[in-house]
Amino acid sequence: MINFENTFHNLKNDFYANVVPSIPPKPELITYNKNLAKSLNVDLKWLESSEGLECFTGSKVMKNSNPLSMVYAGHQFGNWVPRLGDGRAILLGEVIDNNNERWDIQLKGSGVTPFSRNGDGRAALGPILREYLISHAMNKLGIPTTLALTIAKTGENIRREKILPGAIITRVAKSHIRVGTFQYFASQGKYELLKDLSDYIINRHFPEIDGNKNKYFDLFKCVLRKQAKLVSKWMSIGFIHGVMNTDNCSIIGDTIDYGPCAFMDNYKKDTVFSSIDTFGRYAFKNQPIICQWNLVQLANCLLPLFSNNKEKNIQMAQNEIDQFYQLYENFWSEELNNKLAFKIKDKDDKSLVEELYNIMENDNLDFTITFSSLSSIFKNKKNRLLNYNNNSKNFKKWVLKWKSRLTKEKQSKIEIEESLINNNPFIIPRNHLVEEAIKDANYDNFEKFHKLFDLVSNPFKFDEENHKYHIPPEIINNNYKTFCGT
């Protein structure tokens, strides 16, 4: 049994539509995240039971669930869409975990909602597996993210570019509210509802500012800070979200909506993976500035709540927006300092980092291996990963500068080694591995999927036996594209 609540349902029905999930013809549990289930106080035997399967495929609505789909708007690739909403997602309710934190439980792929916009409300197995796998990897990499509890096949075929098996994912998130949720009400001038939404967010996620004199302005500052930190973490591991629309921008600074996302192999700052991002709006290098752009849209929504002085409100928001990039740079520098084992500040560190990135780009170096190899280089320990940068004379010269820089540190060698190992993953869900796992899974072979899931569960461990999972493919597909599918 699962003990649902649904505080979002207590808001006015302007915020959502009551929805009954579609009943799949032949549901089958494929996998579930055991550790996540335990942390959410979900009994494993119940989860594996017929009732558990019915709950997480929409076949049975549990007590206190009150399933609903949220309404929101958004800028999609910069174009304003006044009404979007959960087109294939249904919020079942909320549960309280072992740390007394509240989590949303949502089904994706569970049928048509009032916001489906001519869609079928279904999801194919491949994108479901991608979200389950990559969100788990992100969590293990220490990056704020939604999580996934279960995957179940529905027993029906889904028509996309071809016929594919259908599936449902149970997504777990501390919030599903987006910048686009605020835009929906602000665009209609419904500022009382916007205030209700802000109060809900503050009460649930930022209670420390609830008694502040200008709590709505402080809410904006909190969101800005969390988003700056989130994107700095993406940039530190070579992750590309792929579709940073305002309706995919979490109000609490978590990574949400794993559609055309991917990790880069060779470092190229212009890398784009999304099949529909034809102009590179959401390229790797653009993610910080797009994050700032999204926050401008949020600021525009919240301005009337700051005070009755319009000009003052604009200036307050502008001051925060102007500080975004420095805030982001500070977070990103902190991430890079950890990756390079720098604890003290040095005036030449910025140029040293810039030199490394230029070498990675010009010499076609693998992003993940460049950083993960540093621990072995520092220890003068040979392993096969080092072969990937052996042909780069520039990288070898840079390593000498980096080692010289480390002599300024007051850390012990063991502390430096630990910093290098604990901040530079050896394992990421590389694109070719994810695609191989999905391809086999479409034919009911989940062996590669489970293997990859186990490996990304411990990303900072190097295992010679699983060497092929640490490295890029022999031939990198520079035209690799991912698709919006979940």
Side-chain angles (χ1 to χ4, degrees):
M1 189 66 180
I2 189 166
N3 298 313
F4 277 120
E5 299 177 17
N6 199 328
T7 60
F8 197 80
H9 197 268
N10 296 334
L11 293 170
K12 295 177 180 178
N13 57 15
D14 303 75
F15 291 90
Y16 57 82
N18 294 307
V19 181
V20 177
S22 299
I23 299 175
K26 193 178 179 181
E28 175 190 355
L29 182 65
I30 298 301
T31 190
Y32 65 91
N33 189 322
K34 184 180 294 186
N35 290 331
L36 178 59
K38 289 178 179 178
S39 72
L40 295 173
N41 295 311
V42 178
D43 183 79
L44 299 185
K45 289 184 178 179
W46 176 83
L47 192 152
E48 295 174 349
S49 71
S50 58
E51 186 176 65
L53 178 63
E54 289 173 342
C55 173
F56 293 128
T57 56
S59 302
K60 182 176 182 178
V61 176
M62 307 299 291
K63 183 180 179 181
N64 298 326
S65 173
N66 292 315
L68 59 87
S69 291
M70 295 180 174
V71 64
Y72 44 84
H75 280 91
Q76 298 196 324
F77 292 88
N79 299 309
W80 172 243
V81 183
R83 189 174 187 265
L84 292 165
D86 293 328
R88 70 179 88 214
I90 297 175
L91 178 67
L92 296 181
E94 303 147 17
V95 297
I96 308 297
D97 72 4
N98 292 330
N99 297 316
N100 203 35
E101 291 188 291
R102 185 177 296 273
W103 293 83
D104 287 353
I105 306 292
Q106 183 195 70
L107 300 182
K108 289 183 70 177
S110 53
V112 174
T113 79
F115 313 114
S116 294
R117 296 185 299 158
N118 299 319
D120 59 12
R122 305 295 201 268
L125 178 62
I128 291 294
L129 293 173
R130 174 184 291 276
E131 174 161 352
Y132 187 93
L133 185 65
I134 296 184
S135 64
H136 178 68
M138 295 284 275
N139 176 249
K140 294 301 180 180
L141 289 166
I143 298 172
T145 179
T146 60
L147 298 169
L149 180 61
T150 70
I151 294 176
K153 291 177 70 174
T154 60
E156 59 190 347
N157 291 324
I158 304 298
R159 183 178 294 277
R160 295 295 183 258
E161 68 277 2
K162 58 183 178 180
I163 301 297
L164 297 166
I168 294 173
I169 190 171
T170 305
R171 185 161 74 180
V172 179
K174 290 184 177 178
S175 178
H176 283 94
I177 297 172
R178 308 124 188 283
V179 169
T181 317
F182 285 75
Q183 288 181 291
Y184 178 76
F185 296 104
S187 66
Q188 300 176 46
K190 296 180 177 179
Y191 290 106
E192 282 303 313
L193 295 178
L194 193 70
K195 185 177 178 181
D196 290 343
L197 180 63
S198 301
D199 287 339
Y200 177 84
I201 285 287
I202 291 169
N203 178 261
R204 180 169 168 178
H205 300 290
F206 304 105
E208 67 276 9
I209 67 171
D210 195 21
N212 291 6
K213 184 177 180 180
N214 197 336
K215 63 180 180 179
Y216 303 117
F217 178 58
D218 290 341
L219 170 62
F220 175 67
K221 291 195 293 184
C222 286
V223 176
L224 183 142
R225 184 175 181 85
K226 283 184 173 290
Q227 281 291 331
K229 190 166 188 174
L230 174 67
V231 174
S232 75
K233 288 182 175 293
W234 290 356
M235 301 296 284
S236 75
I237 59 164
F239 175 76
I240 301 169
H241 185 276
V243 61
M244 290 178 66
N245 298 332
T246 55
D247 56 289
N248 296 333
C249 182
S250 164
I251 205 70
I252 62 167
D254 284 357
T255 312
I256 192 170
D257 290 331
Y258 289 91
C261 62
F263 289 78
M264 67 168 68
D265 290 309
N266 288 351
Y267 175 71
K268 297 292 181 187
K269 61 179 176 290
D270 293 326
T271 300
V272 173
F273 286 125
S274 171
S275 62
I276 56 176
D277 192 4
T278 53
F279 297 103
R281 177 180 173 87
Y282 301 139
F284 179 75
K285 68 177 182 181
N286 291 340
Q287 291 183 132
I289 196 68
I290 290 297
C291 179
Q292 185 185 42
W293 191 91
N294 288 345
L295 289 164
V296 170
Q297 312 317 310
L298 177 63
N300 288 334
C301 297
L302 291 173
L303 286 177
L305 302 186
F306 293 168
S307 75
N308 293 323
N309 187 326
K310 183 178 178 180
E311 295 302 318
K312 178 184 176 182
N313 295 345
I314 292 173
Q315 190 58 56
M316 289 167 64
Q318 188 64 57
N319 289 343
E320 294 302 314
I321 291 294
D322 289 344
Q323 295 178 47
F324 169 85
Y325 218 85
Q326 186 59 57
L327 183 63
Y328 160 77
E329 286 280 353
N330 291 343
F331 283 132
W332 183 78
S333 294
E334 184 179 331
E335 296 291 333
L336 265 292
N337 287 343
N338 289 334
K339 291 173 78 67
L340 298 176
F342 296 164
K343 298 301 180 188
I344 64 172
K345 292 184 178 180
D346 187 273
K347 61 182 177 62
D348 296 324
D349 284 351
K350 185 175 181 180
S351 61
L352 190 64
V353 170
E354 289 175 351
E355 182 182 354
L356 175 60
Y357 273 74
N358 288 332
I359 292 169
M360 285 196 294
E361 178 135 30
N362 294 332
D363 292 1
N364 291 315
L365 301 188
D366 183 88
F367 185 96
T368 301
I369 290 177
T370 296
F371 286 103
S372 62
S373 66
L374 294 179
S375 57
S376 296
I377 291 171
F378 179 74
K379 293 184 290 184
N380 295 315
K381 182 178 179 180
K382 298 290 184 182
N383 69 45
R384 283 193 284 173
L385 284 184
L386 300 181
N387 296 335
Y388 284 84
N389 291 339
N390 270 349
N391 294 328
S392 174
K393 294 179 180 179
N394 293 318
F395 180 67
K396 291 177 181 178
K397 291 177 181 178
W398 180 89
V399 165
L400 295 177
K401 295 179 184 179
W402 169 67
K403 284 187 172 182
S404 176
R405 164 63 180 83
L406 286 175
T407 62
K408 299 180 181 180
E409 293 291 325
K410 297 179 181 179
Q411 307 174 75
S412 68
K413 286 187 176 181
I414 292 177
E415 289 174 323
I416 291 173
E417 288 175 17
E418 287 179 348
S419 183
L420 293 172
I421 291 172
N422 294 334
N423 291 285
N424 295 303
F426 289 98
I427 289 284
I428 58 169
R430 290 186 181 271
N431 305 327
H432 70 292
L433 299 175
V434 174
E435 293 301 328
E436 287 173 8
I438 289 173
K439 183 178 179 181
D440 282 6
N442 281 331
Y443 295 96
D444 279 332
N445 182 350
F446 292 89
E447 183 178 349
K448 289 182 179 178
F449 172 78
H450 291 306
K451 174 72 171 179
L452 189 54
F453 183 87
D454 289 342
L455 287 171
V456 300
S457 298
N458 197 355
F460 300 102
K461 178 183 177 182
F462 177 73
D463 184 355
E464 183 68 39
E465 182 181 343
N466 292 301
H467 176 71
K468 70 175 185 178
Y469 290 91
H470 295 276
I471 61 177
E474 289 186 15
I475 300 175
I476 294 176
N477 180 5
N478 292 319
N479 295 315
Y480 176 73
K481 298 297 178 188
T482 55
F483 300 85
C484 291
T486 56

